Amino acid sequence: QGEYAKALQFHTKCEEIRRNTLGMNHPSYATTLGNIASVYSRQGEYAKALQFQTKCEEIERSTIGINHPDYAETLNNIASVYEKQGEYAKALQFHTKCEEIRRNTLGMNHPSYATTLNNIASVYFRQEEYVKALQLHTKCEEIYRYTVGTVSYTHLT
């Protein structure tokens, strides 16, 4: 609904509560930082988004480890911020790490894996590498058809 100030207020209060109750080295605290980063990203405040997303990544790396789907999601979120800034090489770097983790933890026929392929394809499309983008979109569509039975084009860029 675009009420970013209100969302940020609630997430900040949540951050304070989780910091005081769980400490700053807890996966739930990291999630809250990721939520704050998401609000900043939607507002176009990418430097702040990356600051919070990076802290989230550091906490998750030390608590849940680098081979966890939640960690992969954080890498995806960092990649998305870089993509919005037009920093495609960095976006691909983080999306590729996310793809590897999701492939190894969820498998190649999981909808989240398909979403990762779609995200990488989106970066290729923005770089005008249309053949690479189409190949990944096609694979993404195959996975959705296999797992869901239909393609949700809201996931495809």
Side-chain angles (χ1 to χ4, degrees):
Q1 296 178 2
E3 295 187 47
Y4 299 120
K6 186 181 272 187
L8 198 54
Q9 178 184 1
F10 285 117
H11 285 309
T12 301
K13 182 64 176 170
C14 181
E15 181 273 335
E16 179 184 331
I17 292 168
R18 285 187 169 171
R19 180 173 20 91
N20 291 332
T21 58
L22 302 173
M24 295 174 64
N25 199 33
H26 192 280
S28 293
Y29 180 74
T31 298
T32 301
L33 297 179
N35 292 339
I36 292 170
S38 177
V39 173
Y40 282 128
S41 181
R42 289 174 188 253
Q43 289 180 303
E45 295 187 49
Y46 301 124
K48 287 182 181 179
L50 282 174
Q51 175 186 349
F52 280 90
Q53 216 44 279
T54 300
K55 184 63 179 168
C56 174
E57 183 272 334
E58 292 169 359
I59 295 168
E60 287 181 344
R61 186 173 359 105
S62 70
T63 58
I64 62 175
I66 61 171
N67 293 312
H68 193 284
D70 289 347
Y71 181 77
E73 182 64 24
T74 297
L75 297 179
N76 176 71
N77 294 340
I78 292 170
S80 294
V81 174
Y82 281 127
E83 183 178 353
K84 289 175 184 175
Q85 291 180 300
E87 295 187 47
Y88 301 127
K90 288 181 181 179
L92 281 174
Q93 176 185 350
F94 282 92
H95 278 313
T96 301
K97 288 181 188 176
C98 176
E99 181 273 333
E100 180 182 336
I101 295 166
R102 285 183 171 166
R103 178 174 20 90
N104 292 332
T105 60
L106 303 174
M108 294 175 67
N109 287 321
H110 193 281
S112 292
Y113 180 75
T115 298
T116 303
L117 297 181
N118 178 67
N119 293 342
I120 295 170
S122 175
V123 176
Y124 283 139
F125 184 83
R126 293 179 194 284
Q127 292 180 309
E128 298 181 1
E129 294 187 46
Y130 301 122
V131 172
K132 289 180 180 180
L134 182 60
Q135 289 171 340
L136 289 173
H137 277 303
T138 301
K139 181 64 178 166
C140 176
E141 182 177 353
E142 290 171 6
I143 295 168
Y144 277 122
R145 286 191 193 285
Y146 176 78
T147 58
V148 183
T150 185
V151 177
S152 171
Y153 288 99
T154 60
H155 290 83
L156 300 177
T157 304

